[in-house]
Amino acid sequence: TQLLEQSPQFLSIQEGENLTVYCNSSSVFSSLQWYRQEPGEGPVLLVTVVTGGEVKKLKRLTFQFGDARKDSSLHITAAQPGDTGLYLCVTSGTYKYIFGTGTRLKVLA
Amino acid sequence: NAGVTQTPKFQVLKTGQSMTLQCAQDMNHNSMYWYRQDPGMGLRLIYYSASEGTTDKGEVPNGYNVSRLNKREFSLRLESAAPSQTSVYFCASSRLAGAVTGELFFGEGSRLTVL
C-alpha cells in the first residue's frame, strides 16, 4: 500500500504570512489531489495534478507536482483566516483513494 | 443540490450495541466509499463499492459490514460496537472508481461515540 507522508503536521501562522506544505511518497503517484477540510465538514477538492513538473494556481494557492511524481507541495501566499483547515493530499490506486495524514493549518487574524 | 447525505450526524452507543449509518448520493455516481477519520490518522478506507452490486474491503474493514442497496445508497453497519470504533465516519462518492482525475464528494460526516 502506498503511504503518503505530509509535513508539517501542524502549522500556526499570522495572517499575511506565506507557507508551504509537503506531500511525499516512496512510490510514484499516478496522480495527486489536494483537498481542504474545514471543521465539521467533509473534505473538498482543491486541485488535481497529473503530469510530472506540473504547476497549478488557484488564487493564492500554488500546487506543484514533482518531476519524478513522488512528491507535491502546496504554497499559500498571504494566508488569510479563511485558509484555516486540514489540508490532505490524496492519490488514487485501483478503485481506491489513499489519503495522507494531513497538515492542520491555523491562520491567526 | 444535496450531494452526499449521511445520517445520523451524531450517535452515542454502548459497547455491544449495533447501528447502521446511512448514506445517499444524488449525483448518479457509480462508486461509493466509507472512511473513518481519527486524530492524526487521516482518512482510512473501511469499505468501498466500485459499482452497484459490488463491495470490497478497504484498509480497516474489521467490525463493519456494508450494503450497496442501489446506485444511490450505501450503508455501513456496526454489528457489535467497540470503543475503538469511536470516530468520525465519512461517506463519499465518485463518478468512476479509481479514475485518475476523479473527484471525491464527501458527506458532512457522522460522529460516533462508543462508551
Side-chain angles (χ1 to χ4, degrees), chain A residues 2 11 28 35 38 40 43 48-49 58 66 68 72-73 75-76 87-88 90 93-94 96 98 102-103:
Chain A
Q2 186 169 21
L11 194 54
V28 173
Y35 288 75
E38 298 184 11
T48 300
V49 286
L58 183 66
S72 180
S73 64
H75 181 80
I76 301 178
Y87 289 81
L88 296 158
V90 182
T94 305
K96 300 177 187 178
I98 300 165
T103 293

Side-chain angles (χ1 to χ4, degrees), chain A residues 48-94:
Chain A
T48 300
V49 286
V50 179
T51 305
E54 186 174 2
V55 176
K56 282 192 174 180
K57 292 192 175 184
L58 183 66
K59 297 183 180 178
R60 295 176 293 99
L61 279 59
T62 301
F63 303 86
Q64 281 194 292
F65 201 15
D67 290 340
R69 290 162 51 211
K70 296 174 72 172
D71 60 272
S72 180
S73 64
L74 159 59
H75 181 80
I76 301 178
T77 303
Q80 298 178 359
D83 297 325
T84 292
L86 178 66
Y87 289 81
L88 296 158
C89 64
V90 182
T91 190
S92 60
T94 305

Side-chain angles (χ1 to χ4, degrees), chain B residues 48-96:
Chain B
Y48 65 98
S49 171
S51 60
E52 185 180 358
T54 69
T55 60
D56 285 285
K57 296 178 181 179
E59 303 170 72
V60 289
N62 291 344
Y64 305 95
N65 285 301
V66 290
S67 295
R68 182 75 183 267
L69 304 170
N70 47 56
K71 191 171 186 180
R72 290 186 64 247
E73 299 172 288
F74 189 37
S75 63
L76 178 72
R77 182 162 178 82
L78 287 70
E79 292 290 352
S80 179
S84 61
Q85 293 178 305
T86 293
S87 188
V88 181
Y89 292 85
F90 286 96
C91 178
S93 70
S94 67
R95 191 172 64 86
L96 292 173

Side-chain angles (χ1 to χ4, degrees), chain B residues 25-53:
Chain B
Q25 52 90 10
D26 62 1
M27 296 173 282
N28 200 35
H29 284 170
N30 291 299
S31 306
M32 299 185 72
Y33 310 81
W34 275 106
Y35 288 89
R36 59 177 290 173
Q37 185 173 35
D38 302 296
M41 301 286 288
L43 279 85
R44 292 182 292 169
L45 181 64
I46 304 171
Y47 271 93
Y48 65 98
S49 171
S51 60
E52 185 180 358

Side-chain angles (χ1 to χ4, degrees), chain B residues 2-23:
Chain B
V4 178
T5 303
Q6 292 181 232
T7 56
K9 287 189 169 38
F10 300 93
Q11 184 73 48
V12 179
L13 293 177
K14 295 181 179 179
T15 297
Q17 287 185 318
S18 62
M19 76 158 298
T20 299
L21 299 176
Q22 306 286 354
C23 176

